[in-house]
Amino acid sequence: GSPDSSRFVFGLDDPMTLLLGSPGAAPAPLASGTRFRWVDASTYVYTSGRAGAWTLTRGSVGGPAVAIASPAGDFVDYDTAY
């Protein structure tokens, strides 16, 4: 869940389909991606694409998602700092 525990993200049916949830609210579609990580209570990053053609995206709950990098390679890993 998010660092403040007010939200969580999960995959449904397809692990690349990310949904945003919060206690007492219905889940909402968030993105098509994987390797989701929270940066802070409302900002997140995730990868989308496929091996050799990844996109690292940064988004904000209620705001737009923006591609921030296009790493090459079959396997991509990254880390976030709070």
Side-chain angles (χ1 to χ4, degrees):
S2 62
D4 68 354
S5 300
S6 66
R7 299 178 181 95
F8 53 91
V9 172
F10 63 98
L12 183 65
D13 298 329
D14 176 349
M16 294 286 281
T17 301
L18 300 175
L19 299 173
L20 176 67
S22 61
L30 183 66
S32 177
T34 188
R35 306 190 68 78
F36 180 95
R37 294 192 182 131
W38 289 101
V39 175
D40 60 32
S42 63
T43 306
Y44 53 85
V45 290
Y46 64 91
T47 57
S48 60
R50 63 186 185 290
W54 296 108
T55 300
L56 180 62
T57 302
R58 179 177 186 247
S60 178
V61 175
V66 178
I68 57 174
S70 297
D74 292 339
F75 178 78
V76 174
D77 197 19
Y78 62 93
D79 199 3
T80 58
Y82 293 96

